[in-house]
Amino acid sequence: MVKIAYHSDLKEVQSDGQLARLLSAACQHAPFDRLEWWLMLEAHCGLRPMLAVARDGNNAAVLPLTAQSGHPTALSNWYTFRFRPILSGDPALLTALARDLARKSQRVTLSGVPDEDGSATLLETAFRSAGWLVLREVCDTNHILAVAGRDYEAFIAGRPGKLRTTLKRKSGKVETQVLTHFDDAVWAAYEDIYAESWKPEEGSPDFLRAFARAEGDAGRLRLGIALAGGEAIAAQMWTVEGGTAFIHKLAHREAARPLSPGSVLTAALFRQVIDTDKVDLVDFGTGNDPYKRDWMEQVRPRFRLVMMRPMAPQNWPVLAKAGLRYLAARAKRG
């Protein structure tokens, strides 16, 4: 018998041994799928969780949501590379969850969903089967590198000539260090560098610091720092787990741009994760920044799924706009 529950208290979930194990690092090999990640989003980013869970014996489907926007959306923010359901067992559990969600809301929006693992298709199928109308569109891109057995030297030999020339000319002028633990002084240098970089204001420095410290304690952190003349001029935060290196943050001082410290430090971290950590994949997160194409070789789409109860009047303006966009796109294609 399928049982549905909604948890607004994530500490309550921590005390549920079966569910906590499913959402642990041992089962989920990316930070965005773990209970600890959602706890930090709640504590440092002000997100109010609504963890939707369908269970049948030892099997479960989990959809981490937040309802503070007026209707349920993904429990994620600008630090989240991608959002997906957590499923153990029969996919029909996700359909049962979608059916029950109709009692909670007339619309559910999930952004940043991948489909290389079938998540977007699984969600679309589950909600359609439960009587929802589903609109699916590409909302972002994800740049990745499949290492494919190469060592660092083979990888770097395949980079664009301009980048290889930059690394050859600048590497001797910049000292790099890659730490596998959290260091308060290095993190303070990162925050100082970020404040002088081209990057927008940090969304939640407390969240990022707490995440970096936790990943350092777990041995998953790769914290890079670049120096010139003893001054820290670039810093990056990566994590490594489950055969994947995730590039979370990078910044350099604008005044140090002529030394290309960001490129030199990125190369040092690639050497670390390819030759030492032996990862299979490097994930550069979301966004179509041009510099990512110098390092990455493949692009994957990220989808937005808008699920609506078709007979709910509050959804009709959304449906009308979607219809107009479809007609405009069709007319453009000729």
Side-chain angles (χ1 to χ4, degrees), residues 11-51:
K11 292 184 174 60
E12 177 183 276
V13 178
Q14 279 183 308
S15 65
D16 183 328
Q18 180 191 7
L19 198 52
R21 282 192 296 274
L22 172 63
L23 302 174
S24 70
C27 296
Q28 305 302 332
H29 299 296
F32 327 108
D33 301 329
R34 291 200 291 268
L35 180 59
E36 292 80 8
W37 180 268
W38 307 329
L39 282 162
M40 284 189 285
L41 288 177
E42 180 184 22
H44 300 292
C45 302
L47 295 179
R48 298 192 300 274
M50 186 180 83
L51 204 66

Side-chain angles (χ1 to χ4, degrees), residues 112-131:
V113 184
D115 205 39
E116 64 271 7
D117 63 352
S119 289
T121 298
L122 185 65
L123 283 166
E124 183 176 7
T125 300
F127 274 84
R128 286 190 190 281
S129 298

Side-chain angles (χ1 to χ4, degrees), residues 161-180:
K162 184 177 179 180
L163 176 59
R164 287 186 283 111
T165 298
T166 295
L167 294 176
K168 186 175 181 180
R169 291 176 54 239
K170 304 296 186 179
S171 291
K173 301 177 182 180
V174 177
E175 175 192 352
T176 61
Q177 300 172 7
V178 179
L179 284 66
T180 58

